[in-house]
Amino acid sequence: MEKVHILDHPLLQHKLSILRDRNTGVKEFREIVSEMATLECYEATRDLPLKEVELDTPVARGTFKTLAGKKLAIVPILRAGLGMVDGILNLIPSAKVGHIGLYRDPETNAPVEYYCKMPVDIAERDVIVLDPMLATGGSASAAITFLKGYGCKHIKLMNILAAPKGIAQVQKDHPDVDIYVAAVDEGLDEHAYIIPGLGDAGDRIFGTK
Ligand code: PRP
Ligand code: URA
């Protein structure tokens, strides 16, 4: 069983409270989702392999560390996952980006796929799936199943906010996937919205409500 990393850094907790506030407007909401993705990325990439290089500083020659050049991809779940893409690319500008479109059926809350476009070599890449919200876990679990179908072997899931049910679902379906999240709330309401949550992340990022 892989791990759930609850990222309780004060900067993340502060920013999350701004997202939760119903009075936070679309501009600030979008900026903060992106900033939180950058901060979470710092933790989610902690295990990236390094290699040694020899180089000259202005003072002396030495052996130093650089990234070993592991191939990475990020896969936002449309729509809301798009809000996290730029925040990750700030730190990993060479990552490839795949897209998977899923929405929750309003009656059943089951994920429905409507779009998919992956880098051709996605199976060779370590993948970070992005979605601000992990509620029932249906969308994230379906996206991960889909990526495994493409041959991906090393997958991480990055969320901003989760419910216990969503975490349990992903752990049950994909015990090999590490989850990175800033907080876990108490539960879900009757529409499968996270309580107390932050509302509909897609609507708040794109200003559609
Ligand atoms: C939201 C969110 C996740 C999903 C989480 O997307 O961005 O993808 O719900 O819920 P789950 O864990 O119960 O599957 P939504 O379906 O509202 O689509 P949107 O991003 O287009 O708004
Ligand atoms: N999707 C959202 O955007 N918010 C929730 O609380 C649950 C699912």
Side-chain angles (χ1 to χ4, degrees), residues 33-35 37-39 41 83-92:
V33 166
S34 181
E35 288 168 8
T38 304
L39 293 168
C41 181
M84 300 171 77
V85 169
D86 285 352
I88 306 287
L89 294 179
N90 281 340
L91 290 188
I92 319 176

Side-chain angles (χ1 to χ4, degrees), residues 104 133 135 192-194 199-202:
R104 297 199 309 178
M133 308 303 276
Y193 274 83
I194 297 175
D200 188 305

Side-chain angles (χ1 to χ4, degrees), residues 53-104:
V53 290
E54 245 191 278
L55 56 82
D56 297 306
T57 77
V59 181
R61 189 160 185 80
T63 305
F64 305 101
K65 294 181 197 311
T66 59
L67 289 170
K70 202 171 196 26
K71 288 178 154 192
L72 294 175
I74 55 176
V75 176
I77 300 177
L78 308 184
R79 292 176 297 171
L82 287 175
M84 300 171 77
V85 169
D86 285 352
I88 306 287
L89 294 179
N90 281 340
L91 290 188
I92 319 176
S94 59
K96 297 275 176 76
V97 184
H99 294 86
I100 179 161
L102 297 173
Y103 69 87
R104 297 199 309 178

